[in-house]
């Protein structure tokens, strides 16, 4: 009760403070304050510009909107200097009066390319090409930021064929992405588990409706066209959210431009797998009204594509008592996806400047991702000697929408305040079939008995791959054959019997309401203090599991051929990444209407289906959660000398979590299952000291050091008091929560050096180390319940872990080469990460500690880009590499049964041609290497658990900058 009262009071204080500053007086006296906005002649607002007063100590750096606030030491005429990478230095006089001096927009022009004969130092040659100037924005933000950070500008995102937010950050040094059916959907910094990287929108962590209650946000819902900047922070400062062990990725949405703009783009494309069309379009409009006081921005994007993927999946008899037979094959599944994806994004913003000292803004956004993917699954079940065919009509829907209201106020020449109130919601749900009151994912299962048995079995009668077989019989998966003893005993629609109808429920939503306020006080030109507070109230509702399981009680079963079917989807040949002909496993599936009609009461009654739904599973797979977080921080920025800067302080985050769910217990004689309410409460505090040091050897070279303490909260789904059961897979699966999970903490050390080339390039490198405690991992084991094997997954805490790594990167334009060759450039970054985790395991009464790496962590990451730029042409060939990583840890069986993701290397291409100053033609090609996604078990990559192929895609389009 006392905790609840305390959180309510803290929330109330922040709202009261925010409201106070919103209504603060607009006429406060401001000594000699200079305010303005730095803009490029052809490139909009310029963030990170250096503004100073000639012959004085006063200096400032422009914000992301190009705004700056500079304190003049005297009245009368002074000279202001503005410096920016790739632009001409501008010096101009200003007459300073008492109070606020609003000098409006300061326009600077790109530095013209000099004739090499006119300069003695070739490094003074600066490329004035527009493509190079977009990188200048990112470098200025990175160079002047207190945090160790990488930055991408919107213009740079558009240079590569990256259509969603996750793909936009995959080129960043130290960032790795996860791919789902060929598209990146999650991102992580420095190879750490995905939940260890916080995804932010305008500085606030995004709510997540992830299917299993993970805190990692799925980024494929956000079109890249809505993003203005991406900031990847590798060492956070106290004014940033502290739940970011890997780092944070802050997506900053578009804001009102300095002048009227309207641009549109449109493209059409082709997917080599589905052999079908795609299209993409976007529009951006912005303007200013009422003497530039009111700014407006509107942007929208749509990406519609036909897509497909084939997958070859294997499960093994890991629950066997015989160690050798643990690696024998239980089932083979050959699966095809073929569907439509549609991403729609809308973003709008308003800002109003009452005067130079007071500004308020409003932002709103809506994103929708429809993933329509009928799934066709053909099983060869060696354990039960049968074929199985599953057909499901999947229409997953993801939504992210919300709004924020904020303001920035200068209360005096030394005190500045900003505040924000936001409300965002994420949803992930299924809403079919329409013929049944129970909504979810409809799955129809057909089975056909194999009566003649199998050949090519090992001496123990089990099916293996040859390298695991006791007598070397079995072959390899790329040459897979079912090896039925009777070659005529193949899957047939007139033999496949309708054996089960299931509806899998999915309805997750999460809502975050946030209030925050920051105050900055400049004690003198060399020392600034900053304090702030944030309150977040999170509500989560999760429903994931099986709503209904219908099984026929009659022996007169329907066959697949007796139903209304449609042609199997076309596209590339089935499993053409393998060596055999697998067309025999392609069945004509039921039509969508037929599938939905099968769940109608009339169909179920006429065909003898009875509801065998597991009340226990239904009850325990539903939970609600409320989480309140109050955070406060204090930090100081100290300019110890012209070359040395210190940023130090602390952040404290207090968390209160309550999960409400159900727990099933078996009791009595005879045994009965009792469903009871279960509540999980977790209250903890995170005190996070931080120190950043930056030494500048010159304006172009600096060295940074950072010590930070950060943490990660356990996932909701991992702590849920209940569990979910999947009865359609082979083997059946159980996912259960662990209410006793503890948060993960980390001490982080970073040392990074940066050198900026004159021609808009960079050389950077450094080392980092993390000491981590209470790591959460996903443990997988086999459990036998009532004679049936279940694969059980549950999250657990591990002991301490260490992570050590280094990274380096270079972006260099080869302008020193003669003629045509001077347009070439190279961009390369590499990250090496070595982590160590001890996993306890007990075997024969003896406890062992198995060493492995962090889940999802790759030892090697790199990006390599070769590009050519001229006044009209831009060409880029990009390679992205992510090394192997452990995905699932089997604590009971040890490393030989861990599931690994194999190394992945994709090659993408993009090019553009400026037809005129306003019209650009572009082409984008993805996955030219036709890379597949591979998972395997243990120490042999041929012991595959899943291999998925999804082909290549590309599009051709035009961008028109109307004004």
């Amino acid at each position: 009760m006392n905790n609840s009262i305390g959180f309510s009071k803290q929330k109330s204080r922040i709202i009261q403070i925010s409201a106070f500053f919103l209504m603060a007086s607009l006429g406060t006296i401001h000594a000699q304050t200079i305010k303005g906005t730095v803009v490029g002649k052809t490139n909009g607002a310029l963030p990170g510009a250096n503004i100073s007063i000639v012959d004085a100590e006063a200096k400032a750096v422009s914000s992301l909107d190009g705004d700056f606030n500079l304190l003049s030491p005297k009245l009368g005429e002074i000279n202001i200097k503005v410096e920016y990478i790739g632009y001409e230095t501008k010096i101009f006089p200003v007459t300073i009066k008492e109070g606020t001096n609003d000098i409006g927009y300061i326009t600077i022009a790109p530095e013209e390319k000099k004739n090499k004969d006119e300069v003695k130092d070739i490094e003074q040659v600066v490329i004035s090409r527009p493509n190079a100037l977009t990188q200048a924005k990112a470098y200025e933000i990175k160079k002047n930021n207190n945090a160790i950070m990488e930055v991408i500008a919107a213009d740079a995102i558009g240079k590569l064929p990256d259509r969603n937010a996750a793909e936009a950050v995959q080129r960043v040094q130290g960032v790795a992405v996860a791919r789902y059916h060929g598209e990146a959907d999650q991102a992580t910094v420095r190879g750490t588990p995905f939940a260890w990287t916080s995804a932010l929108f305008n500085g606030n962590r995004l709510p997540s409706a992830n299917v299993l209650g993970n805190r990692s946000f799925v980024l494929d819902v956000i079109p890249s066209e809505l993003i203005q900047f991406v900031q990847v922070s590798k060492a956070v400062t106290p004014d940033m959210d502290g739940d970011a062990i890997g780092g944070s990725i802050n997506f900053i949405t578009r804001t009102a431009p300095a002048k009227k703009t309207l641009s549109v783009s449109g493209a059409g494309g082709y997917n080599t797998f589905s052999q079908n069309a795609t299209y993409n379009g976007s529009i951006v409009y912005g303007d200013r009204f009422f003497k530039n006081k009111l700014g407006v921005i509107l942007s929208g994007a749509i990406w519609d594509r036909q897509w497909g993927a084939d997958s070859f999946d294997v499960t093994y008899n890991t629950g066997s008592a015989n160690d050798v037979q643990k690696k024998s094959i239980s089932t083979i599944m050959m699966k095809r996806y073929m569907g439509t994806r549609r991403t729609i994004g809308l973003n709008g913003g308003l800002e109003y400047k009452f005067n130079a000292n007071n500004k308020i803004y409003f932002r709103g956004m809506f994103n929708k991702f429809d993933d329509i993917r009928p799934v066709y699954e053909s099983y060869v079940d060696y354990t039960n000697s049968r074929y199985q065919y599953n057909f499901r009509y999947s229409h997953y829907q993801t939504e992210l929408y919300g709004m924020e209201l904020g303001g920035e106020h200068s209360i005096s020449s030394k005190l500045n305040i900003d505040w924000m109130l936001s409300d965002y919601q994420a949803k992930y749900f299924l809403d079919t079939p329409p013929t049944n009151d129970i909504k979810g994912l409809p799955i129809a299962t057909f089975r056909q008995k194999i009566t003649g048995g199998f050949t090519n079995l090992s001496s123990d009668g089990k099916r293996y791959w040859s390298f695991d077989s006791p007598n070397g019989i079995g072959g390899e998966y790329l040459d897979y054959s079912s090896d039925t003893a009777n070659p005529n005993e193949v899957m047939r629609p007139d033999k496949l019997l309708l054996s089960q109808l299931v509806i899998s429920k999915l309805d997750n939503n999460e809502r975050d309401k946030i209030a925050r306020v920051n105050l900055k006080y400049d004690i003198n030109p060399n020392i600034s203090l900053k304090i702030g507070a944030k309150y977040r109230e999170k509500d989560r509702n999760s429903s994931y599991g099986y709503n209904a399981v219908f099984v026929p009680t009659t022996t007169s079963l329907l066959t697949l051929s007796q139903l209304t079917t449609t042609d199997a989807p076309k596209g590339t040949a089935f499993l053409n990444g393998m060596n055999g002909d697998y067309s025999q496993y392609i069945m004509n599936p039921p039509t969508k209407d037929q599938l939905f009609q099968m769940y109608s009461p009339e169909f179920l009654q006429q065909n003898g289906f009875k509801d065998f739904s597991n009340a226990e599973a239904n009850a325990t797979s539903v939970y609600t959660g409320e989480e309140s977080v109050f955070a406060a921080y204090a930090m100081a920025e100290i300019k110890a000398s012209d070359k040395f800067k210190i940023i130090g302080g602390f952040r404290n985050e207090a968390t209160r979590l309550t999960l409400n769910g159900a727990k099933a217990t078996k009791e009595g004689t005879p045994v009965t299952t009792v469903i009871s309410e279960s509540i999980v409460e977790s209250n903890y505090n995170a005190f996070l000291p931080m120190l950043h040091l930056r030494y500048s050897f010159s304006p172009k070279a600096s060295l940074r050091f950072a010590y930070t303490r950060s943490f990660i909260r356990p996932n909701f789904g991992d702590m849920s008091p209940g569990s979910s059961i999947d009865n359609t897979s082979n083997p059946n699966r159980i996912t259960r929560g662990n209410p006793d999970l503890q948060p993960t903490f980390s001490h982080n050390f970073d040392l990074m050096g940066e050198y900026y080339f004159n021609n808009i390039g960079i050389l950077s490198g450094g080392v980092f180390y993390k000491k981590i405690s209470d790591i959460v991992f996903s443990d997988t084991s086999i459990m036998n319940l009532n004679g049936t094997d279940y694969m059980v997954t549950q999250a657990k805490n591990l002991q301490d872990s260490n992570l050590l790594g280094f990274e380096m990167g270079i972006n260099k334009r080869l302008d020193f080469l003669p003629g045509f060759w001077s347009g070439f450039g190279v961009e390369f970054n590499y990250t090496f990460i070595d982590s160590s985790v001890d996993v306890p395991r007990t075997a024969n009464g003896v406890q062992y500690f198995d060493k492995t790496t962090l889940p999802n962590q790759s030892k090697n990451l790199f990006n390599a880009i070769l590009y050519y730029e001229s006044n009209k042409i831009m060409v880029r060939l990009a390679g992205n590499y992510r090394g192997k990583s452990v995905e699932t840890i089997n604590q009971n069986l040890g490393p030989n049964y861990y599931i690994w993701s194999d190394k992945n290397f994709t090659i993408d291409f993009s090019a553009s041609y400026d037809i005129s100053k306003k019209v650009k033609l572009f082409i984008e090609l993805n996955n030219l290497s036709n890379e597949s996604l591979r998972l395997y078990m243990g120490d042999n990559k041929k012991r595959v658990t899943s291999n998925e192929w999804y082909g290549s895609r590309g599009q051709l389009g035009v961008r028109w900058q109307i004004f």
Side-chain angles (χ1 to χ4, degrees), residues 790-840:
Y790 286 84
M791 184 177 290
V792 181
T793 302
Q794 185 181 41
K796 297 180 181 178
N797 282 112
L798 286 176
Q799 298 181 359
D800 292 355
S801 171
N802 298 290
L803 183 150
L804 176 66
F806 74 86
E807 60 183 59
M808 58 81 63
I810 185 171
N811 183 354
K812 176 66 175 175
R813 287 171 168 79
L814 308 180
D815 54 288
F816 54 85
L817 296 176
F820 166 79
W821 301 103
S822 65
F824 280 96
V826 292
E827 186 172 348
F828 179 84
N829 59 69
Y830 170 73
T831 304
F832 172 84
I833 308 165
D834 186 26
S835 66
S836 177
V837 181
D838 289 332
V839 181

Side-chain angles (χ1 to χ4, degrees), residues 375-540:
V375 185
Y376 316 87
E377 299 174 344
S378 296
Y379 288 85
V380 179
D381 185 345
Y382 292 95
T383 299
N384 297 293
S385 294
R386 67 190 181 194
Y387 292 117
Q388 180 172 311
Y389 178 73
N390 288 353
F391 173 65
R392 63 185 73 191
Y393 181 81
S394 311
H395 182 179
Y396 292 95
Q397 301 180 62
T398 307
E399 294 179 356
L400 173 67
Y401 54 88
M403 61 187 70
E404 54 195 50
L405 175 68
E408 299 172 7
H409 310 278
S410 294
I411 304 303
S412 72
S413 58
K414 294 187 175 183
L415 178 61
N416 293 280
I417 295 174
D418 67 83
W419 57 272
M420 177 191 286
L421 302 172
S422 68
D423 188 348
Y424 282 100
Q425 188 161 0
K427 294 183 177 181
Y428 185 40
F429 60 96
L430 291 158
D431 195 23
T432 54
T435 57
N436 197 301
D437 292 335
I438 305 172
K439 300 300 181 183
L441 171 64
I443 309 172
T445 297
F446 302 82
R447 296 188 177 114
Q448 173 187 340
K449 193 66 178 176
I450 297 175
T451 59
F454 301 94
T455 61
N456 204 22
L457 301 178
S458 183
S459 54
D460 60 2
K462 298 291 184 179
R463 181 73 156 94
Y464 294 86
W465 303 127
S466 58
F467 48 83
D468 284 328
S469 173
N471 57 349
I473 295 176
E476 296 182 4
Y477 82 95
L478 288 174
D479 299 305
Y480 171 74
S481 171
S482 65
D483 295 317
T484 53
N486 181 355
N488 295 321
E489 198 170 11
V490 297
M491 287 183 69
R492 290 175 46 176
D494 61 337
K495 297 290 186 181
L496 285 165
L497 303 177
L498 181 58
S499 305
Q500 184 175 263
L501 293 169
V502 167
I503 296 179
S504 172
K505 61 186 174 184
L506 173 61
D507 191 1
N508 292 345
N509 68 80
E510 190 170 293
R511 183 179 183 182
D512 283 1
K513 290 177 282 187
I514 299 175
R516 77 181 189 206
V517 62
N518 300 294
L519 295 83
K520 184 178 182 183
Y521 185 77
D522 298 320
I523 297 176
N524 58 48
N526 296 321
I527 302 177
S528 295
L529 295 179
K530 191 174 181 182
I531 62 173
K534 175 186 283 190
Y535 177 81
R536 185 185 70 207
E537 186 177 277
K538 181 188 292 290
D539 294 305
R540 181 178 178 89

Side-chain angles (χ1 to χ4, degrees), residues 131 134-135 152-164 167-169 171 223-230 254 265 267 280 282 869 874-876 909-914 920-926 955 957-959:
N131 289 326
T134 62
Q135 193 66 54
I152 315 172
D155 301 352
I157 294 172
K159 293 179 185 178
L160 288 162
D162 302 326
R163 297 260 62 87
N164 68 42
E167 292 184 342
V169 298
R171 319 291 175 182
S224 58
E225 290 93 338
L226 305 190
I227 300 167
Q228 184 163 332
F229 293 103
V230 181
R254 292 183 181 270
S265 71
N280 171 248
S282 67
E869 297 176 349
M874 185 280 295
V875 179
R876 289 194 168 219
F909 173 84
S910 64
S912 66
Y913 175 75
D914 294 346
K920 183 189 297 286
L921 188 69
F922 66 89
I923 184 172
E924 301 173 346
L925 304 173
N926 289 82
Q955 63 176 8
V958 62
R959 295 188 181 97

Side-chain angles (χ1 to χ4, degrees), residues 254-256 294-299 347-351 361-364:
R254 292 183 181 270
T255 57
L294 175 65
V296 177
I297 184 72
L298 296 170
S299 59
N347 174 60
L350 298 171
E351 67 174 48
Y361 60 85
F362 170 84
R363 299 174 186 142

Side-chain angles (χ1 to χ4, degrees), residues 185-243:
D185 66 342
Q186 294 186 84
T188 179
V189 178
R190 287 178 168 166
T192 55
F194 291 100
W196 291 15
T197 294
S198 61
L200 310 174
F201 235 54
N202 300 320
N204 290 325
R205 186 151 186 168
L206 289 169
S208 171
N210 196 293
V211 63
L212 294 178
N214 297 340
R215 293 179 183 270
S216 55
F217 185 80
V218 181
L219 296 167
D220 52 8
V221 68
I222 304 172
S224 58
E225 290 93 338
L226 305 190
I227 300 167
Q228 184 163 332
F229 293 103
V230 181
Q231 297 174 319
V232 178
S233 299
K234 299 174 180 178
V236 299
T237 50
D239 54 348
M240 300 178 181
D241 286 350
D243 53 340

